[in-house]
Amino acid sequence: MNPKRLFFIRNLQQAERLSATIIFGLTNIRYLSGFTGTDGVLLFLGDETVFLTDSRYITQAQAQVKADRVICYKNKLQSIADELLSFGAVRVGFDAEAVCVAIFDELRGLCGNQMHWLPLKEQLWSLRGNKNTRELECLKVAAQLNHDAFQKIIPLIKPGVSEKEIALELEIALKRLGGEANAFEFIVASGTRGALPHGVASEKLLAKGELITIDFGTCVGGYYSDETVTLAVGEVSGKLRQIFDIVLEAHDLALAAVQPGMQIKDLDGVARGYIGKMGYGDYFGHGLGHGVGLEIHEYPTVSPRSTDLLSEGMVITIEPGIYIPDFGGVRIEDTVVVTANGFQALTSIDKHYRVLTVE
């Protein structure tokens, strides 16, 4: 098990005075133990690590998992209870955001009344917050696939083509280049649908004089890419061009402001303040960005509500937008890693205003 990741859990156990910790969430299980299957649980019993899974995954777990013991169970919750009771656990922490109330109640009933249970939420948020060299390499490769696939589908972006067709061709291009899976359902929003921040691809046909926003990503080695491009399908109105320029400037200002040690809410404020100054503050409703890694949205949240600081090794998106109902919208997004002196961009598609030639 990675010593730094194990150190995080050990420190958490000491800080919260835990005799045992249960990790149910598969993403954190993968991060901590290496397991890539879809059913299992990771226990930290004092200084011992125990991984439990069922017969479908026991061979895989024995090959992948870095733990002191790997156990095949027939009844998941009963096996967890048996391990906790055998160890004599008194104060048990668990990743509460990965467990429903019914499962927790059943497990607590199997363990009796001698254990005190501590739900862990924000205590675990920063576990995957800072990426190491291997993680960054996966993120870079995924971002490069974005670039290469997008170049292949640009000729398809023209009047008369549906948003769904563009999304499908982009997915195919990414898969052919080696992408493992879509990061999310691709957003392809043209014309007035550009006002939908999460306007997934529809049957709408592109038309001349519209902007089109494409938000997409893929997965490499379990790590995701995330990028948004807005293009003009032929010449657009002056107001559409104006909001594009405002969003691009907000994006660029925020990128230039990235520094380790700064308040994340202040970074959000750089872009939000500029958009507000230009008169469109009411049309930028979401946060500036989010962390990216083994999940497409993970710690840290880049928003006005954040209480965290940027630190070296964090991977975040910068994605300001303006969305005007019944008119249109613009979002421009890059994924970057925070460095000692600022940032390094992972995504690389040109974000400047681009007009696609139409006949």
Side-chain angles (χ1 to χ4, degrees):
M1 190 169 292
N2 184 295
K4 288 185 178 179
R5 298 172 188 181
L6 184 59
F7 184 69
F8 182 100
I9 298 297
R10 298 301 185 216
N11 274 352
L12 173 60
Q13 288 183 301
Q14 184 175 12
E16 299 290 351
R17 297 177 290 108
L18 300 174
S19 53
T21 302
I22 313 173
I23 303 296
F24 289 94
L26 288 171
T27 306
N28 279 339
I29 286 174
R30 176 173 184 164
Y31 185 76
L32 290 164
S33 74
F35 181 68
T36 62
T38 62
D39 195 12
V41 64
L42 185 61
L43 304 183
F44 294 87
L45 305 175
D47 293 330
E48 184 184 35
T49 57
V50 182
F51 181 77
L52 301 91
T53 190
D54 63 35
S55 60
R56 297 171 299 164
Y57 291 110
I58 189 62
T59 301
Q60 177 181 340
Q62 289 169 340
Q64 286 185 327
V65 171
K66 300 172 179 65
D68 296 317
R69 286 189 289 134
V70 175
I71 296 173
C72 181
Y73 59 70
K74 291 184 178 180
N75 183 305
K76 183 176 185 176
L77 296 183
Q78 184 62 63
S79 294
I80 295 171
D82 290 345
E83 290 291 329
L84 293 172
L85 290 166
S86 177
F87 176 72
V90 176
R91 185 173 169 86
V92 181
F94 64 99
D95 51 345
E97 293 182 319
V99 184
C100 69
V101 173
I103 295 296
F104 172 67
D105 284 345
E106 184 177 349
L107 178 60
R108 183 170 55 179
L110 290 169
C111 290
N113 298 321
Q114 64 267 45
M115 295 182 198
H116 176 76
W117 298 86
L118 179 68
L120 303 172
K121 294 188 292 185
E122 59 270 19
Q123 299 98 317
L124 289 169
W125 286 348
S126 64
L127 171 63
R128 308 195 313 268
N130 300 88
K131 274 58 178 182
N132 62 25
T133 301
R134 189 195 69 79
E135 292 177 286
L136 289 174
E137 185 56 36
C138 290
L139 289 161
K140 289 175 184 177
V141 174
Q144 184 62 44
L145 294 192
N146 269 27
H147 175 277
D148 295 346
F150 193 74
Q151 302 313 307
K152 291 181 181 297
I153 65 101
I154 285 178
L156 302 174
I157 304 174
K158 55 189 177 183
V161 176
S162 73
E163 294 173 349
K164 279 192 173 181
E165 185 175 350
I166 292 170
L168 175 61
E169 293 298 327
L170 187 53
E171 176 180 358
I172 291 170
L174 285 164
K175 294 284 181 62
R176 284 177 172 164
L177 288 166
E180 297 168 7
N182 290 354
F184 45 85
E185 188 172 1
F186 294 169
I187 294 166
V188 181
S190 60
T192 59
R193 294 191 74 254
L196 303 173
H198 282 180
V200 297
S202 73
E203 299 287 356
K204 179 188 173 300
L205 303 182
L206 273 60
K208 184 177 179 180
E210 293 181 335
L211 291 177
I212 178 172
T213 296
I214 304 174
D215 187 349
F216 68 106
T218 190
C219 182
V220 172
Y223 288 81
Y224 289 99
S225 57
D226 193 3
E227 189 165 11
T228 306
V229 183
T230 299
L231 305 169
V233 183
E235 294 294 342
V236 300
S237 70
K239 185 173 181 179
L240 283 174
R241 177 61 195 269
Q242 178 192 44
I243 66 172
F244 181 97
D245 289 343
I246 292 169
V247 171
L248 180 61
E249 182 66 12
H251 165 274
D252 291 351
L253 288 170
L255 282 179
V258 172
Q259 285 291 332
M262 80 178 300
Q263 290 274 354
I264 290 178
K265 65 181 179 182
D266 292 340
L267 178 62
D268 178 278
V270 170
R272 195 170 304 280
Y274 179 75
I275 290 174
K277 183 177 73 171
M278 299 306 291
Y280 289 95
D282 291 340
Y283 301 103
F284 178 28
H286 58 73
L288 179 63
H290 53 86
V292 181
L294 284 172
E295 292 180 301
I296 192 62
H297 290 90
E298 62 179 40
Y299 176 89
T301 298
V302 185
S303 81
R305 298 181 299 278
S306 175
T307 58
D308 296 307
L309 303 178
L310 287 179
S311 61
E312 189 174 352
M314 281 183 173
V315 173
I316 60 172
T317 65
I318 302 291
E319 49 180 305
I322 292 175
Y323 314 95
I324 304 175
D326 301 317
F327 178 71
V330 176
R331 181 167 63 257
I332 298 171
E333 176 188 19
D334 278 302
T335 301
V336 305
V337 55
V338 180
T339 65
N341 300 313
F343 75 94
Q344 177 187 358
L346 299 178
T347 46
S348 60
I349 298 172
D350 185 2
K351 302 305 187 304
H352 290 95
Y353 182 71
R354 188 178 351 178
V355 178
L356 300 180
T357 303
V358 296
E359 297 179 0

